[in-house]
Amino acid sequence: PLSYHLSGQATFTKIKASGESFSPSLFQFRADVEMTDGILDGVGLQGVIGVPMSDAEKNGMTLEIKQQTAAYITLSNPDYQPGDLRVSILLGYASTQLETQLPSLGGAHKDRFGGFSYGFSLQDKVMEGKNYYWALDCARYFKDDHLSIDGCGLGVSYAF
């Protein structure tokens, strides 16, 4: 009655702040469990942990995502069959720790931004008869009047 997936994804982000745009990258580890039978068929939970791969620099300022975590409720098509494209909606909470370095301000400054997060996930089999899937996940991790953090990750998922 439960299906499990583990995935690893290179995630490319776009951070907009004060009219500037930065694109640091992360590697995200994702784990999810989903009900496959009964009234909750297609409903699941997903946990995400992201670690930095690269920073972004513009106009003498360097920005890096030091850490990212998220928890989502996933909503998938209950009529999903193993050979079909799996489409899921992600609704939950994400927290992102940013580190900015501006030499004129004297060192690094860390801030954490968290709140409602949403997105979608697509998974399709790599080969018939194997439990490996291509995975594409896109999400809005944070948004307020001054800052937005979005990302899309591409990687491989394994179904248990």
Side-chain angles (χ1 to χ4, degrees):
L2 295 175
S3 85
Y4 301 92
H5 292 87
L6 290 175
S7 69
Q9 300 179 345
T11 303
F12 304 96
T13 64
K14 185 164 193 173
I15 300 171
K16 291 183 181 178
S18 302
E20 294 289 339
S21 182
F22 296 88
S23 295
S25 59
L26 300 168
F27 191 83
Q28 290 183 334
F29 299 95
R30 295 176 175 262
D32 67 84
V33 60
E34 182 178 67
M35 302 290 268
T36 58
D37 196 20
I39 195 163
L40 295 177
D41 189 7
V43 176
L45 297 172
Q46 182 182 84
V48 179
I49 296 175
V51 295
M53 283 178 38
S54 70
D55 57 17
E57 186 177 342
K58 188 180 273 186
N59 299 328
M61 182 174 143
T62 303
L63 187 136
E64 182 177 22
I65 297 175
K66 294 305 272 184
Q67 181 185 36
Q68 187 175 67
T69 56
Y72 295 106
I73 293 173
T74 61
L75 305 171
S76 300
N77 180 0
D79 298 326
Y80 165 78
Q81 299 298 316
D84 295 343
L85 176 67
R86 180 176 176 231
V87 179
S88 300
I89 302 296
L90 310 171
L91 300 171
Y93 179 87
S95 175
T96 305
Q97 183 182 37
L98 300 178
E99 180 179 280
T100 55
Q101 294 184 11
L102 189 58
S104 63
L105 295 179
H109 181 71
K110 291 183 183 179
D111 283 310
R112 183 169 293 279
F113 301 93
F116 178 68
S117 177
Y118 60 92
F120 67 89
S121 176
L122 303 175
Q123 292 184 356
D124 197 15
K125 274 209 180 235
V126 174
M127 286 189 273
E128 281 302 314
K130 303 291 183 189
N131 289 339
Y132 292 99
Y133 294 79
W134 294 109
L136 171 69
D137 291 32
C138 293
R140 167 149 285 172
Y141 302 115
F142 182 80
K143 171 120 174 90
D144 69 7
D145 293 339
H146 309 288
L147 176 72
S148 67
I149 305 171
D150 301 311
C152 280
L154 181 63
V156 176
S157 178
Y158 183 81
F160 293 92

